[in-house]
Amino acid sequence: MLFAPVKAQAAQVEKLSTRIEVSNNGTPVINTSFSALNVEVAMQQIKKGEFSQSFLEGGAWKTFLQSAPRWMKVQGDEVLFDNGLKFGPGIILNDADARKIMNSILVSNGKAIIEQLNLETSDVPESPVAFYQPGKFTNKFTNQKGIAETTLSAGLTAVLDAQLNYVKLIDVQNNNQTFSIDLENTSPDLKFNLQSVTPEEKTTFGQYVVSLDQSLEYHLIINQNLLHTTDSVTLSLPANSQLVVDSIESSNPEVKITPNLLAFDENTASGPSPVVAATVGFSEGLNQDVVVIVKTHMNKALISAANPLELNLSLQATTTQNGNGIQLATTPDLVTSGINFAMIDGEKLSLASGAEYVLGRERGEVKEIYSPDGSWREVQDLDSNLSSIAEVIKGGQRYTIASGSGAIPLATTRFNFDLDKNRAINRSLIQIYGLSKGEKYFLYQIKAAQNYTENNKIHYFDVDYSTRISKNGTSISESTVSKSNTALPTLNGSIPDFAAGENEYHPLLISDAPVRKIDVLKKIVISVVAFILIGAVSVFAVIKYL
């Protein structure tokens, strides 16, 4: 249907206060610019099939048709989808179909035709409106919590990034609405569920703290609405992935999965560029949600060779739609944790060495011991005979769960590095990486330290990992590796790789004696008094000499 546009100044309409909370897979996106483009007016024209001759002959529409992706077929001035949905002059749509088409236009570099349609009406909406920090109009970017706000006209609105690329559709209807936007999960019709974790493993910003011996199973839920605008979904591993695919399956016979065997091989699943794991296709006419089950395991060799706490285990699903605003879903961020121990004599407050332990975990009434093959074995009793089945934990070693062990690295960059002294002190230190949050772990001594009797007390501990955003916008990670629960001021300075807030040590008592408390204030007072007395004596001596 053609009509003659009547251009006029936009009527004064009520503006609604609107807020966005932007994250990147759960982590706040800070100091970043976003804007909003009203698409309600354009959608109403698409819904009614009313387009002016000048619009149909204009450059924006012609360019859009010429660059249409393969899943959008062009017949004259009509655009048809594989499932029969179409739009164009004279084609009347319901609200749901018009919204699906609007989303497809935006993800296919169609912002120009939306802006052109906005100009073809008497109610010309405002150009993209910038979001700004709450209460700070001149700061046109998100704050430290990823929050920004602005005032908008009511109706369907496209959120755009700093480059004016499409991010997400929001429906502005009421004053003081807040919309959550995850840049790594832009599609409402794609969602990953992580099956192989527990609620106790969840930490800040939606991350999970997992153990390196865990297998990971993801369920990708593809909403039937997506089937109306695309014919397939691509599953990919990120660049330098530490994940290897074991299987990708769906119980729906109308779903065709085409795997890429490179993603199933530890030697080829990781590379400088993302690796496609599979393409998930759909039979024509499929009208129900699709569940794709992806089973994976961690590439232990790559993990142990890198920073053992920061993992790259994500999986991403994207549509085959073209354009800057690709619709995608991403699995939750996974991290792991660990702990450092310094074997000490609690009474002398000195480092000790020679004791040996087994690592265990307690689940209800069941105790399990960590074995050399990276597995956990249930045991009935704790005694010194466990050394025949357990990984023996010794000083001077770094143990990475399911990835073996090696000597704690020497602190060669320390300004007063002493090779022999570093090796001697390291024999009092134990590092354990690759543990998960929520478990009740313990160390049990199976061999006493030299010149000590065995400590038969079970040393329980847990691990943690969290992330926060600092005032200057830096992402800071804190864990039981970076922060000790017991201060050891007289010992920390002697530990070669000790770094406050980065690499700290927890006390591991080699005997039953508790840690002797240090009255730090008393030590300071005594030192000050001694300094004053020495100073007074020196002054008196000088005066006498004169």
Side-chain angles (χ1 to χ4, degrees), residues 217-431:
E217 180 176 322
Y218 299 101
H219 288 191
L220 173 62
I221 315 300
I222 305 173
N223 192 287
Q224 59 181 318
N225 292 332
L226 188 65
L227 309 183
H228 299 160
T229 56
T230 187
D231 58 3
S232 65
V233 171
T234 301
L235 289 170
S236 302
L237 298 175
N240 303 312
S241 174
Q242 297 169 331
L243 198 66
V244 182
V245 177
D246 295 322
S247 65
I248 303 176
E249 300 174 343
S250 176
S251 59
N252 193 321
E254 296 185 81
V255 175
K256 181 182 179 181
I257 297 175
T258 306
N260 176 16
L261 297 182
L262 294 177
F264 293 70
D265 188 329
E266 289 192 355
N267 297 315
T268 55
S270 181
S273 301
V275 175
V276 172
T279 300
V280 182
F282 322 110
S283 298
E284 189 172 344
L286 181 60
N287 60 355
Q288 65 184 58
D289 293 350
V290 171
V291 179
V292 178
I293 299 174
V294 184
K295 296 182 178 180
T296 68
H297 70 271
M298 304 180 199
N299 190 328
K300 308 298 193 310
L302 292 181
I303 291 174
S304 60
N307 184 328
L309 299 188
E310 297 176 4
L311 304 176
N312 188 9
L313 299 171
S314 64
L315 190 66
Q316 197 167 76
T318 58
T319 66
T320 57
Q321 298 169 338
N322 293 332
N324 292 323
I326 293 176
Q327 296 281 59
L328 56 87
T330 307
T331 56
D333 279 339
L334 303 181
V335 295
T336 190
S337 191
I339 194 166
N340 299 325
F341 288 109
M343 291 186 281
I344 67 169
D345 181 317
E347 287 187 317
K348 298 179 181 178
L349 279 180
S350 61
L351 293 173
S353 62
E356 296 180 357
Y357 299 83
V358 294
L359 171 65
R361 66 186 182 190
E362 201 169 279
R363 293 179 164 181
E365 299 298 321
V366 177
K367 286 183 173 62
E368 297 176 334
I369 297 299
Y370 180 66
S371 301
D373 63 359
S375 65
W376 298 83
R377 298 180 58 174
E378 182 179 344
V379 294
Q380 300 300 320
D381 300 301
L382 297 178
D383 54 48
S384 58
N385 296 323
L386 289 173
S387 59
S388 62
I389 62 170
E391 176 80 35
V392 178
I393 308 298
K394 302 178 181 180
Q397 295 292 302
R398 172 184 292 176
Y399 298 88
T400 304
I401 298 300
S403 301
S405 64
I408 295 175
L410 298 171
T412 55
T413 58
R414 190 177 172 121
F415 75 95
N416 59 347
F417 174 70
D418 183 304
L419 177 61
D420 293 334
K421 187 176 181 180
N422 196 154
R423 285 175 173 169
I425 293 175
N426 277 6
R427 285 195 286 270
S428 300
L429 310 178
I430 296 171
Q431 298 179 348

Side-chain angles (χ1 to χ4, degrees), residues 21-29 145-146 180-185:
E21 296 179 349
V22 190
S23 65
N24 193 327
N25 210 11
T27 302
V29 174
K145 295 182 179 179
S180 296
I181 298 174
D182 188 336
L183 301 182
E184 290 293 314
N185 291 278

Side-chain angles (χ1 to χ4, degrees), residues 119-149:
L119 297 174
E120 298 282 335
T121 175
S122 59
D123 297 323
V124 181
E126 62 268 30
S127 298
V129 178
F131 285 94
Y132 52 87
Q133 290 186 359
K136 299 179 179 179
F137 181 77
T138 57
N139 293 354
K140 298 186 186 303
F141 43 83
T142 53
N143 65 12
Q144 302 305 300
K145 295 182 179 179
I147 297 174
E149 63 184 14

Side-chain angles (χ1 to χ4, degrees), residues 150-182:
T150 193
T151 54
L152 300 171
S153 302
L156 198 63
T157 302
V159 177
L160 311 175
D161 65 16
Q163 289 73 43
L164 299 182
N165 295 322
Y166 170 62
V167 176
K168 184 178 182 178
L169 280 176
I170 60 175
D171 197 358
V172 180
Q173 295 295 336
N174 303 307
N175 201 36
N176 298 320
Q177 277 182 280
T178 298
F179 297 93
S180 296
I181 298 174
D182 188 336

